[in-house]
Amino acid sequence: MIAGLTRRTALKSAVAALSCSVLPAACATKPAHPSTPRLNQLGFRPASTKHFVLATDTRDPLNASFVVETLSGRRVFEAPLRTALCDLTVTTGEHVRTGDFSRFNEPGCYRLCVGTRRSHPFEISEGVYVPLVRDAARAFHLIRANTAVDDPVTGLKFAAGHLSETTLQVDGRSHRSAVSHSPCDEEVPGSE
C-alpha cells in the first residue's frame, strides 16, 4: 500500500485518468436529448405492435406528441407520447418516454418525428423480415468449415476444411466424425 492506496485502487485511478486524457468523450456528460427516437430500424409488419423510446428530460412537457411521416415529409399519423416518464437511469442513464403507433398499418417507408428529432427511416410491410431470415440462413452457409465456398457477393473463397479428420473429442472421448462414416455403420448394442 502506498499512501493509503491499494494497488487495485491506484490502477483504477490511472485507467480513469488515462481515458479522460486520451478519450475526452468518455468523460463528457450525456446530452439531455439524443438525436433520434429509438425504434426497430428494420421495420414492422402492418399488424404488429409498433413502439418507440425517446430519451427525455424530466422538464419536458407531458403533452408532447409524435408524428409518423413519409420520407418526403407528408404526415400520415399523429398521436401523443405516453405521459409516464420511465426512470431508467440505473440501467441506461436516461429518463425515457414511449410512443405507440400500432394503429398505423399502411405499408411504406417512414420516419418518426418528435419535435425536431427524427428517427432513422423504417419500413412497414408484410415481407419486412424476409431479407433478415435469408441473410441469416446465408451466413450459416458461409461459416461452414467443411463446405467449399466461392461467394460472388462477399468475395469469400475457401476450400472445404476438416475433410481428413476422422475423430472428434467430446467430453474426453473420441468419436468418429460424420465425414468418415455413416450413422448406419454404428452397431447397436444387443442387436445381434
Side-chain angles (χ1 to χ4, degrees):
M1 229 162 84
I2 301 172
L5 293 176
T6 64
R7 182 183 274 172
R8 177 179 283 168
T9 305
L11 184 59
K12 283 182 181 179
S13 299
V15 168
L18 180 62
S19 67
C20 286
S21 64
V22 175
L23 305 169
C27 296
T29 58
K30 288 188 177 188
H33 296 291
S35 60
T36 62
R38 300 170 194 154
L39 57 112
N40 179 345
Q41 292 178 24
L42 181 60
F44 304 90
R45 296 182 68 202
S48 69
T49 301
K50 300 170 198 75
H51 293 134
F52 72 95
V53 175
L54 181 71
T56 188
D57 192 300
T58 55
R59 299 169 300 218
D60 282 348
L62 293 177
N63 61 350
S65 62
F66 68 92
V67 173
V68 176
E69 66 180 24
T70 63
L71 299 184
S72 64
R74 183 174 55 88
R75 292 176 170 218
V76 293
F77 182 83
E78 186 171 352
L81 283 171
R82 291 191 173 137
T83 56
L85 183 67
C86 303
D87 182 358
L88 300 180
T89 53
V90 173
T91 55
T92 66
E94 303 172 313
H95 290 91
V96 299
R97 291 179 61 195
T98 61
D100 182 349
F101 58 108
S102 301
R103 292 181 310 173
F104 182 70
N105 56 17
E106 187 67 32
C109 291
Y110 302 99
R111 199 177 275 126
L112 195 127
C113 308
V114 181
T116 59
R117 294 177 277 175
R118 288 178 162 59
S119 73
H120 294 284
F122 64 92
E123 180 182 353
I124 295 178
S125 78
E126 280 298 335
V128 71
Y129 300 122
V130 170
L132 180 65
V133 172
R134 181 201 61 224
D135 292 347
R138 190 167 180 278
F140 284 113
H141 169 74
L142 293 175
I143 62 174
R144 291 197 53 163
N146 57 349
T147 299
V149 171
D150 185 1
D151 185 48
V153 176
T154 61
L156 286 175
K157 185 174 184 170
F158 53 87
H162 305 287
L163 296 178
S164 64
E165 295 177 13
T166 59
T167 61
L168 175 68
Q169 291 289 326
V170 178
D171 295 333
R173 290 180 275 177
S174 274
H175 300 274
R176 289 190 298 172
S177 80
V179 174
S180 64
H181 75 286
S182 161
C184 297
D185 294 342
E186 297 286 325
E187 198 172 295
V188 179
S191 62
E192 296 177 21

